[in-house]
Amino acid sequence: MEAVLTGPMGRTLLGTSEVTIGCDADNALIVADLRTAAHHALVRPDGMGYAIVDLGSEYGTIVNNRWLEPKKAQPLLPGDIIQIGNTSFTFEVFQNPAAIPTGLLGVGVGDVGKGSMPTPASVSPPLDVADYDTGSFNQLPNAPARTQTATPRVSISSLRSLLDQSRPRPIPYTSQPWVPDGTTTYPPQQQLWRQDRRRLYQSLVVMLALLVVLSLIALITSRSTPDKTLDAFCNALLTSNGQLATNQLSAKLQGQQGLLVADLTVTKAIVCAHTPAISSGSSAKSTLTIKFSANAGFPNTLNTVLATLIQDTNGVWKIDTLQGQ
């Protein structure tokens, strides 16, 4: 039985050793994908067949549209579709090497190079990965000669060296004892998701800015002002809320007797308005116009009162004096 992973790079023969898949150069099968971890997954023999294990990658591994449980073996069946990042592979099984279709064949892995799984003569030679990067492909056997321009070739080793210089080195992969139908523990692998980190940082900055703006709005709307104090005082007189009216007075004014609102609990006003307060430092002045009901004990006429307000140590404005005019 010959097992093959077929993907965009061609076919990869599976042997008796595990095949690591990831974006780092030390993997047996390299997938250059932003959604692929340095060491993303592996395929290895499992009994009479093969199984795939996700190595705890950030974006996970999908088999037949179902997410794999991290670090747990999933047996593979012929025709299974494996998706790693944005790259898909098909797991295929053939009775003998001669049954493998001819065409592009990826680099053999495992112990294939030792001769345990020879490549049939009818199969085309492996396609160099560097050919995909430079846009130039190997000449197939028995194919007519073609005219090629003098295009400089870039070796895969030079590309890998540039890639290694531009990113931090990942933790080397180490093989672990295989537990059939169980869970194998692997060392943590470094994830290279710079684009996702950049989006996360941008989102955090936006959220922080929004939080600061909302805090400033709440502070501005909740701070005490002379007009807010006068509004609360008038509302208390119109609703006979003695406690609320008393809370708008300074401690000095609350202790005085014979005020215009001597009994704030039973006194009810039918009209109460004030002019915009004029502030000067920690004091402010405004004119109140009040008309009480006939049974309040006050003349049933409009009364004009000059109110002086002060700002206490907590920044709260209180009515300090009320003088009739």
Side-chain angles (χ1 to χ4, degrees), residues 199-270:
R199 292 175 181 172
L200 177 60
Y201 296 152
Q202 291 173 352
S203 300
L204 291 177
V205 170
V206 171
M207 293 178 61
L208 181 60
L210 182 60
L211 182 60
V212 171
V213 171
L214 293 178
S215 300
L216 291 176
I217 293 176
L219 179 63
I220 293 174
T221 56
S222 62
R223 68 185 183 92
S224 177
T225 64
D227 289 321
K228 287 183 179 180
T229 300
L230 293 172
D231 289 339
F233 183 71
C234 280
N235 291 334
L237 293 182
L238 294 173
T239 59
S240 297
N241 190 335
Q243 184 61 49
L244 178 61
T246 303
N247 292 341
Q248 311 311 312
L249 306 180
S250 65
K252 181 190 74 174
L253 187 56
Q254 291 182 27
Q256 293 180 359
Q257 301 294 330
L259 297 177
L260 179 64
V261 286
D263 190 354
L264 298 176
T265 303
V266 298
T267 302
K268 180 176 178 62
I270 56 178

Side-chain angles (χ1 to χ4, degrees), residues 34-65:
L34 289 177
R35 299 173 66 88
T36 303
H39 299 95
H40 196 107
L42 64 84
V43 177
R44 65 188 308 168
D46 183 22
M48 299 299 294
Y50 289 85
I52 185 171
V53 180
D54 180 85
L55 299 177
S57 60
E58 182 174 349
Y59 285 99
T61 304
I62 301 175
V63 176
N64 297 332
N65 295 323

Side-chain angles (χ1 to χ4, degrees), residues 95-204:
Q95 295 301 321
N96 51 70
I100 301 177
T102 59
L104 299 179
L105 182 63
V107 178
V109 295
D111 61 350
V112 178
K114 300 178 182 179
S116 61
M117 187 180 295
T119 302
S122 60
V123 178
S124 301
L127 188 66
D128 190 356
V129 177
D131 293 339
Y132 278 93
D133 298 331
T134 60
S136 175
F137 298 90
N138 293 335
Q139 184 76 23
L140 297 178
N142 303 324
R146 60 183 179 180
T147 303
Q148 296 185 357
T149 59
T151 303
R153 294 173 57 86
V154 180
S155 64
I156 190 64
S157 59
S158 62
L159 292 177
R160 288 177 178 173
S161 63
L162 291 176
L163 179 62
D164 292 341
Q165 294 174 5
S166 62
R167 68 181 183 185
R169 294 296 301 168
I171 301 175
Y173 170 79
T174 54
S175 179
Q176 300 294 312
W178 178 247
V179 181
D181 299 328
T183 301
T184 304
T185 302
Y186 294 87
Q189 305 297 328
Q190 183 178 10
Q191 307 299 327
L192 305 177
W193 307 125
R194 296 182 179 178
Q195 183 176 3
D196 289 347
R197 289 196 186 102
R198 187 161 55 248
R199 292 175 181 172
L200 177 60
Y201 296 152
Q202 291 173 352
S203 300
L204 291 177

Side-chain angles (χ1 to χ4, degrees), residues 258-313:
L259 297 177
L260 179 64
V261 286
D263 190 354
L264 298 176
T265 303
V266 298
T267 302
K268 180 176 178 62
I270 56 178
V271 174
C272 185
H274 65 88
T275 59
I278 300 176
S279 302
S280 177
S282 60
S283 63
K285 292 184 178 182
S286 176
T287 301
L288 286 168
T289 301
I290 306 174
K291 182 178 181 180
F292 294 96
S293 59
N295 58 353
F298 296 95
N300 189 19
T301 58
L302 288 175
N303 299 277
T304 303
V305 180
L306 178 62
T308 302
L309 299 92
I310 60 172
Q311 194 174 24
D312 61 15
T313 55

